[in-house]
């Protein structure tokens, strides 16, 4: 998604704008630009592609100015090129925007008839012409901005600067996050704490509908009713050091290898390893009275929710409905009075999940969110918070956050089951012990990374891959397929193994790779039967299993990925690791952009 930075500094700031944009690269983008005010003129530099292209442009044609804005663009309207790159500008105002202006065509037509000339194909450019229209009518910069916001429909985070005023930056948010950074006689504006982490850790977050005016000595906030308000200053926990790659070639591999550590860090926030007693934070709800849990999320977070469904129904005996956010928010599903609705989101900014949360709130649901960013919008709009301790996840493909979500959901399951007197003390200790061993088991699996790398080297000419599993590993088949497709661009699909005969087995022909996730357990034999069905039709099978009872099948499969034996409860967490590594190594072997795959963004803040 797009990234925004704004700085009111003491000296020329073009390099600082570029550095701020570097901290936003992880969000995914396809063009970038900066603009400053100098001598009452707007100076702009924009470039298609990666930030290095913009840096070269600024080096060739430096710009002065101690006040400016910058942007990394993830294209929604208009191809990624310099013309469509932000900042967009007239001679009076320059703006950067994250979100979608849904009524931009109407505004564009109206202003076009009045002689305003649009240069780009973007929705965002309508903002600067609309503001210019109000300036031409004699309104002040703030009035022109405020009037324009009243016309805009859709989601936005906007930062803008005026050629008539080299002392102020304005910002506004509706749907997409925006943060103010407080410096020493300098002020900052950014999409998130990461954007500002080079400059400050003192952050204020705009609330929905806020407008902010920054000057060197501070920030003035107005809420959506136009009332002047105060916004708290919080200490951001974002540490720029954490966003380094260390000795790893890619963030994704670093984050895969961080899992033993961050899973331990996450566990420590939920229970005391010494006595294995779980201590969930107060969620503001009496779990004993919960009759149904509704889980809503996107992508990998949705698959974590599917695993939680298996766990909560099997161990806590509470019914669970899981839905993807973009469907839930429009389905108007009947929700039980005072039901518990759980929103899972690594970034805490996913637009569809945030919209679903607001729908659930309107249905008087109790809102709990499971996020990796405490200061995120989803966290701040929830009644209860389950915070994972995965640290900043930079790679677009979620890995460590996904397994930390599972750990938190496993702890939540036990806590819910104990509250409802379904899980007794012995079972609680048994399940908690299994979770506490996950970190070391994952470290063991990572020791065997080379066995997985060798498999991936044979995927260079593959165009279709199937993942199959049953029970609580079925969502891991879905997750494995998502990992592979999003970083290697190979078409891959996950199926419930029992579903193969209902259609998907038609995809099997000689040489099609099928990855079978089959831990020993109640469904193992059935999954092996499904595996034999695809072997009989020529599939190249990779089986991921802890079983040593394959017998002569070990001659019929292509590869065996051996897994440690653990309590079935934690299999979904452990079996996530090999599917992450397969995706990573295949992507690297195919020369894909592992950390910033094409077309993808780390945080999808537009619907
Ligand atoms: C996961 O690898 C993908 N990057 C994507 O599906 C992601 O899980 C999804 O966009 C949800 O993001 P969130 O957890 O930040 O809400």
């Amino acid at each position: 998604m797009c990234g925004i930075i704004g700085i009111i500094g003491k000296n020329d700031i073009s390099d600082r704008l570029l550095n701020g944009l570097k901290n936003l690269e992880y969000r995914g983008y396809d063009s970038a630009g900066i603009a400053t005010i100098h001598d009452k003129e707007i100076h702009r530099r924009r470039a298609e592609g990666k930030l290095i292209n913009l840096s070269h442009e600024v080096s060739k044609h430096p710009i002065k100015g101690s006040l400016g804005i910058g942007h990394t663009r993830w294209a929604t309207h208009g191809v990624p090129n310099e013309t469509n790159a932000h900042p967009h500008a007239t001679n009076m105002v320059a703006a950067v925007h994250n979100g979608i202006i849904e009524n931009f065509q109407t505004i564009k037509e109206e202003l076009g008839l009045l002689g305003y000339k649009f240069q780009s194909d973007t929705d965002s450019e309508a903002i600067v012409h609309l503001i210019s229209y109000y300036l031409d009518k004699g309104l002040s910069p703030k009035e022109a901005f405020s009037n324009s916001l009243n016309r805009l429909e859709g989601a936005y985070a906007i930062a803008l600067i005026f050629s008539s005023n080299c002392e102020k930056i304005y910002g506004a948010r509706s749907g997409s996050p925006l943060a103010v950074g407080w410096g020493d006689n300098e002020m900052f504006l950014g999409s998130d704490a990461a954007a500002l982490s080079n400059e400050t850790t003192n952050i204020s977050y705009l609330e929905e509908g806020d407008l902010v005016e920054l000057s060197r000595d501070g920030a003035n906030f107005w809420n959506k009713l136009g009332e002047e308000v105060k916004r708290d200053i919080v200490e951001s926990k974002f540490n720029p050091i954490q966003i380094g790659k260390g000795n790893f070639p890619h963030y994704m591999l670093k984050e895969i290898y961080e899992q033993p550590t961050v899973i331990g860090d996450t566990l420590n926030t939920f229970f005391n390893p010494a006595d294995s007693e779980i201590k969930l934070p107060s969620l503001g709800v009496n779990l004993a009275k919960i009759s149904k849990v509704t889980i809503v999320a996107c992508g990998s977070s949705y698959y974590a929710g599917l695993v939680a469904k298996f766990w909560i129904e099997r161990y806590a005996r509470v019914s669970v409905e899981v839905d993807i956010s973009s469907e839930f928010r429009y389905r108007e599903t009947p929700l039980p009075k005072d039901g518990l609705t759980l929103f899972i989101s690594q970034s805490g900014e996913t637009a569809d999940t945030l919209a679903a949360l607001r729908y659930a709130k309107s249905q008087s649901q109790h809102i709990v969110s499971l996020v990796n960013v405490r200061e995120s919008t989803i966290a701040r709009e929830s009644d209860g918070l389950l915070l994972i301790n995965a640290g900043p996840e930079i790679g677009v493909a979620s890995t460590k956050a996904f397994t930390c979500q599972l750990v938190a959901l496993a702890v939540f399951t036990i806590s819910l089951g104990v509250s409802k007197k379904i899980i007794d003390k012995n079972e609680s200790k048994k399940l908690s012990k299994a979770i506490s061993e996950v970190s070391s088991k994952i470290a063991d699996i990572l020791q065997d990374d080379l066995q997985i790398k060798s498999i991936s080297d044979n995927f260079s000419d593959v165009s279709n891959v199937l993942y199959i599993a049953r029970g609580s590993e079925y969502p891991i088949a879905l997750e494995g397929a998502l990992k592979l497709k999003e970083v290697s661009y190979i078409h891959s699909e996950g199926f419930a193994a029992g579903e193969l005969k209902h259609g998907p087995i038609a995809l099997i022909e000689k040489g099609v790779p099928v990855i079978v996730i089959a831990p020993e357990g109640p469904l193992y034999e059935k999954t092996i039967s499904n595996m034999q069905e695809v072997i009989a039709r020529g599939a190249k099978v990779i089986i991921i299993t802890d079983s040593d009872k394959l017998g002569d099948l070990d001659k019929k499969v292509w590869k065996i990925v051996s897994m440690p034996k653990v309590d079935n409860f934690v299999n979904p967490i452990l079996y996530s690791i090999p599917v992450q590594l397969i995706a990573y190594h295949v992507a690297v072997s195919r020369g894909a952009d592992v950390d910033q795959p094409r077309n993808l963004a780390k945080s999808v803040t537009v619907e």
Side-chain angles (χ1 to χ4, degrees):
M1 287 301 100
C2 304
I4 288 173
I5 181 85
I7 300 176
I8 304 179
K10 293 170 183 149
N11 307 301
D12 287 344
I13 52 156
S14 57
D15 288 346
R16 292 167 73 182
L17 289 171
L18 290 170
N19 287 333
L21 293 180
K22 283 192 177 67
N23 286 342
L24 287 162
E25 283 197 284
Y26 75 93
R27 298 163 67 97
Y29 69 105
D30 39 49
S31 59
I34 62 173
T36 62
I37 305 289
H38 181 63
D39 287 345
K40 289 200 178 292
E41 274 193 14
I42 292 170
H43 303 272
R44 233 182 354 161
R45 298 289 182 269
R46 299 178 292 170
E48 185 181 336
K50 295 299 183 190
L51 272 183
I52 189 72
N53 300 338
L54 179 63
S55 299
H56 286 162
E57 181 60 19
V58 173
S59 305
K60 276 191 301 188
H61 307 291
I63 48 177
K64 289 185 166 306
S66 61
L67 172 140
I69 52 179
H71 187 263
T72 49
R73 177 176 182 247
W74 186 84
T76 55
H77 296 70
V79 297
N81 61 19
E82 181 179 340
T83 308
N84 290 331
H86 302 207
H88 290 289
T90 64
N91 61 352
M92 296 187 276
V93 60
V96 291
H97 164 234
N98 180 18
I100 292 180
I101 306 299
E102 293 178 357
N103 62 330
F104 83 97
Q105 283 293 15
T106 308
I107 295 170
K108 189 168 180 175
E109 282 151 22
E110 274 176 29
L111 294 174
L113 293 173
L114 296 173
Y116 291 86
K117 299 268 180 281
F118 283 68
Q119 313 295 325
S120 78
D121 304 323
T122 67
D123 55 326
S124 310
E125 189 184 358
I127 298 168
V128 294
H129 291 294
L130 188 56
I131 292 172
S132 299
Y133 164 76
Y134 285 115
L135 290 172
D136 287 340
K137 289 170 74 72
L139 272 60
S140 71
K142 179 173 172 290
E143 289 164 339
F145 186 27
S146 177
N147 280 33
S148 300
L149 293 176
N150 293 335
R151 282 291 317 272
L152 300 181
E153 294 167 15
Y156 54 76
I158 297 170
L160 50 86
I161 53 179
F162 293 89
S163 54
S164 62
N165 185 330
C166 62
E167 288 299 318
K168 288 196 168 63
I169 293 181
Y170 290 86
R173 78 155 285 179
S174 176
S176 297
L178 198 59
V180 168
W182 298 75
D184 172 15
N185 252 347
E186 298 185 314
M187 290 296 287
F188 312 96
L189 202 55
S191 299
D192 54 26
L196 304 174
S197 57
N198 298 337
E199 306 289 355
T200 179
T201 55
N202 296 321
I203 308 287
S204 299
Y205 290 91
L206 276 73
E207 300 294 338
E208 277 302 279
D210 277 4
L211 185 156
V212 68
E213 177 189 78
L214 297 191
S215 61
R216 278 183 210 297
D217 50 21
N220 297 312
F221 297 87
W222 289 268
N223 64 17
K224 56 188 158 196
L225 302 174
E227 300 154 336
E228 187 147 10
V229 292
K230 292 283 178 218
R231 294 295 179 224
D232 294 343
I233 300 176
V234 297
E235 175 74 21
S236 164
K237 297 285 176 285
F238 192 93
N239 173 350
I241 307 295
Q242 286 177 292
I243 60 171
K245 279 190 286 198
N247 297 327
F248 289 92
H250 300 101
Y251 283 110
M252 184 177 175
L253 191 61
K254 169 179 175 259
E255 289 154 6
I256 287 171
Y257 273 77
E258 282 179 332
Q259 289 177 109
T261 304
V262 296
I263 282 173
D265 295 344
T266 296
L267 271 178
N268 289 338
T269 63
F270 292 121
F271 76 96
N272 175 351
D275 62 11
S276 288
E277 284 300 315
I278 286 172
K279 53 176 179 59
L280 280 190
S282 162
L283 301 177
V285 62
N286 179 355
L287 291 180
K289 294 196 180 322
I290 294 299
S291 59
K292 178 178 178 182
V293 176
T294 303
I295 299 177
V296 185
C298 298
S300 291
S301 297
Y302 167 66
Y303 299 143
L306 288 177
V307 174
K309 174 182 172 71
F310 278 95
W311 283 339
I312 294 169
E313 293 187 339
R314 159 75 178 72
Y315 294 98
R317 310 308 292 161
V318 172
S319 77
V320 178
E321 180 172 358
V322 189
D323 208 341
I324 52 178
S325 309
S326 54
E327 289 299 315
F328 176 84
R329 63 181 289 193
Y330 298 112
R331 216 157 50 93
E332 296 186 10
T333 182
L335 292 167
K337 189 171 173 346
D338 300 330
L340 171 63
T341 310
L342 174 62
F343 296 87
I344 306 174
S345 175
Q346 186 284 131
S347 62
E349 298 298 349
T350 297
D352 282 322
T353 305
L354 178 59
L357 181 154
R358 290 171 177 165
Y359 169 76
K361 195 167 257 190
S362 72
Q363 304 301 305
S364 66
Q365 292 298 293
H366 193 83
I367 308 296
V368 175
S369 61
L370 168 53
V371 300
N372 190 30
V373 181
R374 179 190 298 277
E375 307 102 353
S376 62
T377 306
I378 285 173
R380 287 185 284 121
E381 296 196 13
S382 299
D383 304 316
L385 181 57
L386 290 170
L387 193 64
I388 62 174
N389 241 343
E393 186 175 71
I394 307 301
V396 165
S398 186
T399 50
K400 63 176 183 173
F402 178 71
T403 49
C404 285
Q405 286 170 348
L406 291 180
V407 163
L409 290 163
V411 170
F412 174 78
T413 299
I414 298 169
S415 191
L416 179 62
V418 168
S419 304
K420 296 189 74 75
K421 302 197 183 337
I422 299 290
I423 295 178
D424 64 19
K425 206 155 184 59
N426 288 336
E427 185 170 16
S428 173
K429 276 202 177 306
K430 171 176 165 287
L431 298 174
S432 301
K433 182 174 179 299
I435 301 174
S436 64
E437 292 169 356
V438 161
S439 282
S440 64
K441 296 295 183 187
I442 289 178
D444 295 344
I445 295 166
L446 291 171
Q447 294 295 322
D448 287 349
D449 182 10
L450 286 180
Q451 73 163 323
I452 293 174
K453 185 179 181 317
S454 63
I455 294 168
S456 313
D457 294 342
N458 295 276
F459 269 66
S460 50
D461 56 350
V462 161
S463 52
N464 283 294
V465 179
L466 276 66
Y467 290 72
I468 65 171
R470 286 175 177 255
S472 59
E473 285 70 59
Y474 161 47
I476 306 308
L478 300 173
E479 167 63 7
L482 173 62
K483 286 281 108 33
L484 184 65
K485 72 173 69 120
E486 70 176 329
V487 293
S488 74
Y489 315 146
I490 293 174
H491 177 247
S492 36
E493 275 192 80
F495 296 103
E499 267 299 283
L500 278 177
K501 288 191 282 295
H502 300 281
I505 201 164
L507 294 171
I508 303 301
E509 58 186 353
K510 186 163 175 37
V512 170
V514 176
I515 296 173
V516 180
I517 301 169
E520 290 235 44
L523 298 172
Y524 172 75
E525 296 303 340
K526 292 190 185 312
T527 309
I528 294 300
S529 300
N530 299 132
M531 182 180 81
Q532 290 180 312
E533 288 160 9
V534 297
I535 289 175
R537 289 162 176 81
K540 282 174 70 175
V541 164
I542 297 165
I543 180 169
I544 307 174
T545 183
D546 58 351
S547 169
D548 43 18
K549 294 187 309 209
L550 277 174
D552 63 355
L553 270 177
D554 66 359
K555 296 178 188 55
K556 295 182 180 172
V557 299
W558 180 28
K559 296 277 182 183
I560 300 171
V561 176
S562 304
M563 296 290 283
K565 290 188 184 301
V566 291
D567 188 301
N568 281 353
F569 177 50
V570 296
N571 275 333
I573 309 173
L574 262 62
Y575 283 68
S576 303
I577 308 308
V579 300
Q580 292 170 356
L581 289 170
I582 288 171
Y584 171 77
H585 289 304
V586 170
V588 169
S589 70
R590 292 167 68 101
D593 186 348
V594 173
D595 287 328
Q596 294 170 21
R598 67 187 181 198
N599 310 336
L600 293 181
K602 181 60 182 173
S603 172
V604 183
T605 56
V606 292
E607 65 170 283

